[in-house]
């Protein structure tokens, strides 16, 4: 039997690098759940702090796993979306959108030779948005479609790691040439700049860079158009997201959430934002679904919102390992639970996008 106080003592032996206090005492460990043989919690940090706290997550996971009788441990590191920066420019503020102002005009800068643009969004970071984007792109590609993936997550571009990409994109006849990885055409904001400071990507510059990657990249040609471009959007519902959503010609969005109520509330806000600008939510995916964080929350939320529930993705160590190694699990273990889940999601998304 695992004792809750013993779990807290183990966690408080690990210190929060910001405060120096134990991670429970400092309030860093949120939503601690302890059952007879399992434990899990969430570490929620500012977007710039994920690298600082990744070792804390790893240490907590290792320490809990070492407790006798512990069969399963889950520590999720989640980044809050950045509050909207002060900004000039003409785009609507989220508040204005909430008040039901007119819908944004249909963007005119559709990328050439791209049949559909599919966005992957989430209310907050760390919920598995990029994991879903990459694996869903692979599953769509496995259906015989020609697929591109654009990492537009200015707060934490993760495609370079998840697909094993490096180096700037090529440049030919006035257009950027995307990288090729695992049969996908890929571009990432993370490959365009050496700057590690997310600040440079705030506001108009971020949306300009992303519009450029969308429209000035040779995703397809007239002989060989791209069937679908999967866009990994920044998490949250701030101004950067809004500008992007308005400027990007999206045919549909898939929203990723973990089962906890806080994450679901953010997923709901994301859905509302897309709805207001006229982008259809193709459905919700529940990630890190399981008995530690609960399960079924996203399914119930999808029902409440009147959108499709696309499936649940279990907590699966191979997903993190595959991501870190640049080898998507869907391809590495094509008969596994994860690959089957994404194959089903890909089938539904293809149908919804008429691919
Ligand atoms: N179902 C899962 N099981 C285990 N680890 C996961 C799962 N989904 C995501 N992860 C891991 O959690 C971390 C955050 O996921 P990521 O896809 O980068 O989130 P986001 O793009 O929303 O910030 C990554 O290390 C990833 O490998
Ligand atoms: Mg990401």
């Amino acid at each position: 039997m695992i004792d809750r106080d013993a779990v807290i003592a183990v966690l408080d032996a690990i210190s929060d690098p910001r405060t120096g206090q134990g991670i429970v005492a400092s309030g860093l460990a949120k939503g601690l759940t302890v059952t007879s043989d399992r434990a899990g919690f969430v570490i929620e940090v500012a977007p710039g702090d994920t690298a600082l706290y990744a070792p804390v997550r790893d240490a907590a996971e290792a320490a809990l796993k070492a407790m006798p009788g512990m069969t399963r441990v889950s520590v999720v590191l989640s980044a809050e979306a950045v509050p909207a920066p002060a900004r000039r420019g003409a785009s609507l503020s989220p508040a204005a959108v909430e008040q039901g102002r007119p819908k944004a005009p249909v963007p005119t800068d559709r990328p050439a030779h791209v049949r559909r643009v599919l966005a992957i969004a989430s209310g907050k970071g760390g919920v598995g948005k990029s994991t879903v984007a990459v694996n869903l792109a692979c599953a769509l590609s496995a259906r015989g479609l020609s697929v591109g993936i654009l990492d537009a997550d200015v707060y934490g571009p993760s495609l370079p790691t998840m697909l094993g990409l490096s180096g700037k994109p090529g440049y030919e006849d006035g257009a950027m040439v995307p990288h090729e990885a695992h049969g996908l055409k890929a571009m990432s904001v993370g490959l365009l700049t050496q700057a590690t400071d997310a600040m440079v990507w705030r506001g108009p510059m971020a949306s300009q860079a992303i519009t450029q990657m969308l429209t000035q990249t040779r995703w397809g040609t007239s002989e060989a158009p791209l069937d679908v471009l999967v866009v990994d959007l920044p998490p949250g519902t701030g101004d950067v997201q809004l500008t992007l959503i308005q400027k990007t010609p999206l045919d549909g969005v898939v929203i990723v959430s973990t089962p906890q109520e806080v994450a679901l509330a953010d997923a709901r806000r994301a859905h509302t934002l897309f709805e207001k600008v006229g982008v259809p939510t193709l459905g919700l995916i529940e990630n890190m679904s399981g008995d530690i964080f609960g399960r079924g929350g996203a399914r119930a939320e999808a029902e409440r919102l009147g959108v499709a529930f696309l499936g649940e993705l279990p907590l699966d160590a191979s997903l993190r390992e595959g991501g870190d190694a640049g080898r998507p699990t869907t391809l590495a273990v094509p008969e596994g639970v994860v690959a089957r889940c994404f194959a089903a999601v890909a089938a539904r998304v293809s149908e919804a996008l008429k691919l």
Side-chain angles (χ1 to χ4, degrees):
M1 277 292 280
I2 299 291
D3 175 47
R4 188 179 173 89
D5 290 337
V7 167
I8 292 174
V10 162
L11 293 177
D12 268 339
I14 300 167
S15 52
D16 177 341
R18 288 259 182 246
T19 64
Q21 286 179 291
I23 61 174
V24 176
S26 70
L28 186 63
K30 296 202 171 66
L32 178 64
T33 307
V34 180
T35 68
S36 57
D37 62 342
R38 298 168 181 206
F41 65 93
V42 179
I43 299 175
E44 208 164 77
V45 301
D49 273 356
T50 46
L52 178 68
Y53 282 94
V56 174
R57 176 199 55 205
D58 295 346
E61 227 168 43
L64 292 179
K65 275 186 185 150
M67 292 180 76
M70 188 70 87
T71 62
R72 198 154 141 187
V73 170
S74 166
V75 184
V76 172
L77 179 59
S78 173
E80 276 289 6
V82 177
R87 179 191 46 84
R88 285 164 294 141
S91 67
L92 300 179
S93 73
V97 170
E98 289 298 334
Q99 285 159 17
R101 292 254 297 267
K103 283 181 183 172
V106 178
T108 48
D109 39 5
R110 262 200 99 84
H113 312 303
V114 173
R115 293 176 57 211
R116 303 279 186 272
V117 184
L118 169 68
I120 312 296
S122 67
K124 55 174 60 188
V127 301
K129 183 170 50 61
S130 301
T131 303
V132 167
V134 165
N135 283 282
L136 179 55
C138 291
L140 287 163
S141 165
R143 292 176 65 79
L145 298 169
S146 143
V147 182
I149 183 162
L150 170 58
D151 178 6
D153 188 348
V154 288
Y155 300 126
S158 44
L159 244 57
T161 306
M162 287 189 174
L163 290 174
L165 307 173
S166 65
K168 295 209 171 188
Y171 197 76
E172 236 178 65
D173 301 331
M176 289 188 276
V177 182
H179 285 270
E180 297 255 356
H182 307 291
L184 309 173
K185 296 192 169 164
M187 287 282 278
S188 168
V189 284
L191 298 174
L192 287 189
T193 174
Q194 308 298 323
T196 49
D197 186 358
M199 286 302 286
V200 303
W201 289 113
R202 301 268 167 90
M205 217 181 133
S207 83
Q208 207 181 335
I210 289 157
T211 308
Q212 206 175 348
M213 285 195 297
L214 263 171
T215 56
Q216 291 169 36
T217 294
R218 191 169 309 132
W219 293 109
T221 61
S222 51
E223 301 83 55
L226 196 75
D227 289 312
V228 57
L229 179 61
V230 177
V231 183
D232 185 1
L233 287 174
T237 47
D239 275 10
V240 170
Q241 289 81 352
L242 187 66
T243 311
L244 277 179
I245 294 165
Q246 287 172 320
K247 288 205 168 175
T248 311
L250 302 173
D251 295 298
V253 58
V254 165
I255 297 173
V256 183
S257 179
T258 53
Q260 300 100 319
E261 177 49 36
V262 275
L264 289 166
D266 287 326
R268 201 177 308 145
R269 271 193 282 280
H271 166 68
T272 306
L273 181 71
F274 285 100
E275 198 174 39
K276 293 274 163 72
V277 296
V279 176
T281 299
L282 304 184
L284 247 58
I285 292 184
E286 178 164 294
N287 188 26
M288 308 192 194
S289 179
D291 36 10
I292 291 176
F293 290 122
R295 112 189 281 163
R299 184 189 287 273
E301 190 60 45
E303 246 162 58
R304 272 194 292 273
L305 296 175
V307 302
F309 179 68
L310 295 174
E312 49 197 33
L313 192 59
L315 260 171
D316 183 322
S318 77
L319 272 168
R320 194 195 292 174
E321 288 152 17
D324 289 349
R327 213 170 348 91
T329 307
T330 297
L331 301 177
V333 194
E335 301 303 325
V337 179
V338 170
R340 283 208 306 275
C341 171
F342 281 108
V345 175
R348 297 192 63 173
V349 165
S350 300
E351 194 188 341
L353 291 177
K354 301 191 174 64
L355 280 165

